[in-house]
Amino acid sequence: MKAIVYDRYGSPDVLRLEEIPKPELGDDDVLVRVHAASVNSWDWDLVTGTPVLFRFWGLLRPKHRVPGADIAGRVEAVGKNVTRFRPGDEVFGDLCQCGWGGFAEYARARESALTPKPAGMTFEQAAALPQAGAMALQGLRDEGGLRPAQKVLINGAGGGVGTFAIQIAASLGAEVTGVDRTEKLETMRSAGAAEVIDYTQEDFTAGGKTYDLILDVAAHRSMFDYARALNRGGTYVMLGGSIGRILQVLLVGPWIARSEQKKMRLMPAKANHDLAALGELFHAGKLSPVIDRCFPLSEVPDAFRYFGEGRARGKIVITV
């Protein structure tokens, strides 16, 4: 089969298309014929080896030669212990906890990592959904406790996680403000943001407006800046960031919570978190993946370069 492989950490130049054997199927495994995959920040971190935490999968060289977490496709074969799927079923899911390997014609997954693809959803849409959609849902609903009529600000709202978060927050009845760069303003409006802020022109933490929930996809500011933009009793949820930012929310967050009654949380992401709920939102017409560009498998290095520029509006999808 054809697959994107890499043998050392680095820029997208380390990625190359090769012919490699199909994954061997274990008793508890599902073999999926991949029709589409998508690029996430975790894929970028895995390939570049930064931050160092991502070298858990190989300190000096990658443990998993084929990157790619989010996939959508058809079941090709199942192990003898698999009960939920059979050949021909259309599925999607995030493979980050079962060996990665999504940027290939075939991928092996644990049964628990896959969910039936909703009827009416294309493979490209399904591939865009698992990681970014699950993070947005978890951050807003589970960690943030978002309720109807609350004011929520999403920082970094024009990318993959952000465009899902806007739609999910709006579906929960929130008043949504999106923050991102100039060329993503219309994307945020189209996704359902009632207000948009261009961070190159305006500092949302200094304007005096406050919010009940801040979902932070970008994580470039200090905890004190974010706390200033929170209502008393409000919640800040960080989805990820540099080691310095993570340490800041862990060390400074408890002090802000005690002194100002503002919760500052770092979200531990859960792979494939409630994908069924995301499918229900899709069926209800309340959620539709925003796809910026589709690249063929052979052009995954170019897709990574485009992702690295930080200008993608919504998701970048790989067609296989």
Side-chain angles (χ1 to χ4, degrees):
M1 69 173 188
K2 291 181 174 62
I4 294 294
V5 302
Y6 73 123
D7 296 305
R8 59 187 176 88
Y9 298 113
S11 73
D13 294 337
V14 303
L15 299 169
R16 64 188 186 276
L17 185 69
E18 277 193 5
E19 192 78 28
I20 65 172
K22 284 184 185 180
E24 295 183 2
L25 189 67
D27 292 343
D28 301 309
D29 295 334
V30 178
L31 182 66
V32 179
R33 172 66 172 92
V34 180
H35 288 275
S38 70
V39 180
N40 294 286
S41 61
W42 287 10
D43 299 305
W44 176 270
D45 296 339
L46 190 75
V47 169
T48 61
T50 55
V52 176
L53 286 176
F54 266 79
R55 299 201 181 196
F56 173 81
W57 289 281
L59 181 60
L60 301 178
R61 58 188 300 156
K63 177 181 178 181
H64 304 298
R65 293 188 71 220
V66 182
D70 285 353
I71 66 164
R74 285 190 175 88
V75 174
E76 180 83 2
V78 298
K80 67 179 184 180
N81 295 333
V82 173
T83 59
R84 292 177 57 226
F85 301 107
R86 61 184 181 182
D89 288 348
E90 297 182 348
V91 296
F92 72 117
D94 176 355
L95 310 185
C96 72
Q97 293 185 342
C98 52
W100 302 73
F103 297 147
E105 292 181 316
Y106 294 89
R108 179 180 57 205
R110 289 198 298 265
E111 185 178 19
S112 59
L114 299 172
T115 298
K117 182 178 74 65
M121 182 182 285
T122 68
F123 286 114
E124 290 78 12
Q125 289 174 318
L129 188 58
Q131 196 171 110
M135 290 179 71
L137 181 64
Q138 185 186 346
L140 290 168
R141 187 191 65 184
D142 302 341
E143 297 291 332
L146 185 62
R147 299 186 301 276
Q150 285 191 319
K151 293 183 178 180
V152 56
L153 180 137
I154 301 164
N155 186 35
V161 175
T163 50
F164 282 121
I166 290 173
Q167 296 176 75
I168 293 168
S171 76
L172 294 173
E175 181 183 323
V176 185
T177 296
V179 180
D180 217 306
R181 63 174 73 195
T182 310
E183 62 267 32
K184 299 186 182 183
L185 299 184
E186 186 53 41
T187 299
M188 294 188 290
R189 290 191 189 97
S190 298
E195 182 180 355
V196 296
I197 296 174
D198 182 349
Y199 74 76
T200 69
Q201 303 295 321
E202 180 182 350
D203 179 358
F204 72 86
T205 69
K209 291 184 179 180
T210 54
Y211 304 88
D212 300 301
L213 171 63
I214 295 176
L215 185 71
D216 194 9
V217 183
H220 293 313
R221 299 179 181 275
S222 78
M223 292 303 102
F224 298 104
D225 289 339
Y226 292 120
R228 187 168 60 244
L230 273 177
N231 290 324
R232 192 173 185 84
T235 302
Y236 165 85
V237 180
M238 180 193 286
L239 299 191
S242 67
I243 299 298
R245 297 298 180 194
I246 291 172
L247 289 174
Q248 192 176 88
V249 73
L250 292 175
L251 297 174
V252 177
W255 180 84
I256 293 174
R258 287 194 301 271
S259 62
E260 301 185 34
Q261 282 73 59
K262 298 175 181 180
K263 297 181 282 291
M264 313 295 285
R265 293 178 174 172
L266 173 65
M267 188 187 84
K270 302 174 184 177
N272 298 301
H273 178 67
D274 209 351
L275 296 186
L278 296 173
E280 291 172 4
L281 287 173
F282 175 83
H283 278 307
K286 296 180 179 180
L287 182 71
S288 181
V290 177
I291 297 174
D292 182 306
R293 295 188 188 181
C294 291
F295 291 80
L297 183 64
S298 60
E299 296 179 11
V300 164
D302 291 332
F304 267 67
R305 293 184 189 98
Y306 183 57
F307 180 87
E309 293 172 0
R311 297 185 180 275
R313 288 164 288 190
K315 291 284 294 182
I316 298 170
V317 168
I318 307 302
T319 55
V320 183

